């Protein structure tokens, strides 16, 4: 464990790439056949996602605590007065759920178990992705470079690029076309910069976990709608739609960089060089 810690602190980018690959691969282990007879296909896939994402998250949290990064990774009480910086994601969440808000999607209340597992799945996604990319990846990079403002920006941008790049797995699993995957990777970077900046400014990862999970929930209501379900279709995208999607999320990237300007480099960071 000490050798791994030394490697992580000394080569945070390479460590982060390995950590993301291993963690994401674990969450794609097909355990759902174990639950199908009991829960049905949709609920079994949700149950699998919850179990895998929570287990990986707790394992990463345990490592962070062992390495003395628990507090610097944001596992602290939020600054409630500073939560106003999250206002853009509230707007994007409402935009993400516009079909539900305007009544174009009606939730199928006849399947309460599916609804509960749906909510828990996306909350666990928020937990997993924030613990992995803002908890572990960002914190080891801040440990290396975070004593300076320039290093802080580098940690935020590089960790966000890795977060966005992780979505390339959807292309290799034949879930989406190359353009659709590239689009998701790009706006994933923008979202990553936003959440990283908010975590650093607020000094707590918990609001980011919740905001991330709720954002995903609002964008996925079709899964629990009347006549809906899990979308297994191959996702494609035109160039014009790709550009529009990227431009829609670009303000989050800019906003993240702006609020990061007022973040104070921490004395807890950068002690390894």
């Amino acid at each position: 464990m000490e050798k791994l810690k030394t490697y992580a602190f000394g080569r945070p980018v390479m460590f982060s790439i390995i950590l993301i690959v291993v963690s994401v691969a674990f969450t794609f282990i097909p355990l759902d056949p174990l639950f199908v007879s009991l829960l049905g296909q949709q609920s079994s896939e949700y149950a699998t996602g919850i179990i895998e994402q929570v287990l990986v998250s707790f394992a990463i949290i345990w490592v962070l605590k062992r390495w003395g990064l628990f507090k610097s990774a944001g596992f602290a009480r939020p600054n409630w007065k500073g939560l106003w910086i999250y206002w853009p994601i509230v707007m994007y969440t409402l935009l993400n759920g516009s079909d539900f808000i305007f009544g174009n999607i009606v939730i199928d209340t006849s399947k309460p178990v599916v609804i509960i597992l749906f909510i828990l799945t996306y909350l666990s996604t928020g937990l997993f992705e924030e613990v992995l990319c803002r908890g572990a990846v960002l914190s080891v990079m801040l440990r290396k470079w975070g004593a300076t403002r320039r290093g802080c920006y580098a940690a935020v941008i590089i960790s966000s690029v890795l977060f966005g790049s992780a979505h390339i797995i959807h292309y290799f699993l034949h879930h989406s076309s190359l353009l659709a995957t590239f689009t998701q990777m790009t706006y994933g970077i923008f979202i990553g910069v936003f959440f990283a900046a908010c975590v650093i400014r607020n000094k707590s990862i918990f609001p980011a976990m919740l905001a991330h999970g709720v954002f995903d929930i609002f964008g996925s209501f079709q899964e629990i709608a009347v006549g809906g379900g899990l979308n297994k279709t191959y996702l494609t995208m035109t160039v014009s739609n790709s550009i529009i999607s990227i431009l829609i999320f670009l303000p989050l990237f800019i906003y993240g960089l702006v609020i990061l300007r007022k973040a104070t480099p921490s004395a807890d960071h950068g002690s390894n060089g």
Side-chain angles (χ1 to χ4, degrees):
M1 182 63 75
E2 281 301 313
K3 288 184 178 180
L4 182 60
K5 176 181 176 181
T6 300
Y7 181 79
F9 289 174
R11 302 187 64 183
V13 176
M14 198 64 225
F15 166 78
S16 296
I17 293 172
I18 295 171
L19 178 63
I20 289 174
V21 170
V22 172
S23 299
V24 171
F26 187 89
T27 63
F28 277 90
I29 296 174
L31 297 179
D32 48 289
L34 300 175
F35 307 104
V36 170
S37 60
L38 179 64
L39 299 173
Q41 187 59 46
Q42 185 170 0
S43 291
S44 66
E45 292 193 28
Y46 287 151
T48 298
I50 295 166
I51 293 169
E52 292 176 345
Q53 291 180 144
V54 170
L55 285 177
V56 175
S57 298
F58 283 177
I60 293 173
I61 292 170
W62 178 78
V63 172
L64 291 173
K65 199 164 186 178
R66 284 285 302 272
W67 288 0
L69 294 175
F70 193 70
K71 185 176 180 180
S72 61
F75 290 93
R77 182 179 298 178
N79 172 16
W80 300 107
K81 292 183 179 179
L83 290 180
W84 64 268
I85 60 175
Y86 279 91
W87 70 265
I89 203 64
V90 175
M91 305 302 293
Y92 277 86
T93 298
L94 295 176
L95 177 64
N96 220 20
S98 58
D99 283 341
F100 168 71
I101 293 171
F102 291 110
N104 297 323
I105 288 178
V106 178
I107 303 301
D108 186 355
T109 56
S110 68
K111 302 176 180 179
V113 173
V114 174
I115 293 174
I116 292 171
L117 291 175
F118 163 81
I119 294 172
L120 292 177
T121 294
Y122 286 106
L123 289 179
S124 68
T125 298
L127 167 71
F128 168 67
E129 295 189 355
E130 291 307 313
V131 165
L132 174 60
C133 294
R134 260 63 71 181
V137 172
L138 179 61
S139 63
V140 296
M141 292 184 181
L142 288 173
R143 176 67 168 70
K144 180 74 173 179
W145 308 311
T148 66
R149 190 172 301 281
R150 182 178 179 180
C152 188
Y153 272 99
V156 166
I157 292 174
I158 295 173
S159 66
S160 299
V161 168
L162 294 181
F163 168 67
S165 298
H167 292 84
I168 198 171
I169 192 172
H170 294 297
Y171 175 72
F172 291 115
L173 292 177
H174 305 291
H175 294 168
S176 56
S177 67
L178 183 60
L179 180 59
T181 304
F182 170 78
T183 304
Q184 187 178 20
M185 289 168 59
T186 302
Y187 66 66
I189 294 171
F190 297 166
I191 293 172
V193 168
F194 168 79
F195 278 126
C198 287
V199 169
I200 291 173
R201 274 289 301 273
N202 192 259
K203 301 187 185 302
S204 177
I205 198 172
F206 296 117
M209 290 178 186
L210 180 60
H212 192 148
V214 173
F215 175 80
D216 287 349
I217 287 171
F218 270 63
S220 306
F221 277 131
Q222 183 62 43
E223 295 180 13
I224 54 171
V226 174
L230 292 173
N231 186 2
K232 299 290 187 178
T233 59
Y234 184 72
L235 179 63
T236 60
M237 185 172 285
T238 64
V239 174
S240 59
N241 284 340
S242 172
I243 294 173
I244 291 171
S245 297
I246 290 172
L247 290 177
I248 286 174
F249 286 96
L250 180 60
L252 278 182
F253 173 76
I254 297 172
Y255 178 83
L257 295 181
V258 169
I259 65 172
L260 196 59
R261 292 177 59 190
K262 295 185 178 181
T264 304
S266 173
D268 296 332
H269 298 141
S271 57
N272 201 43

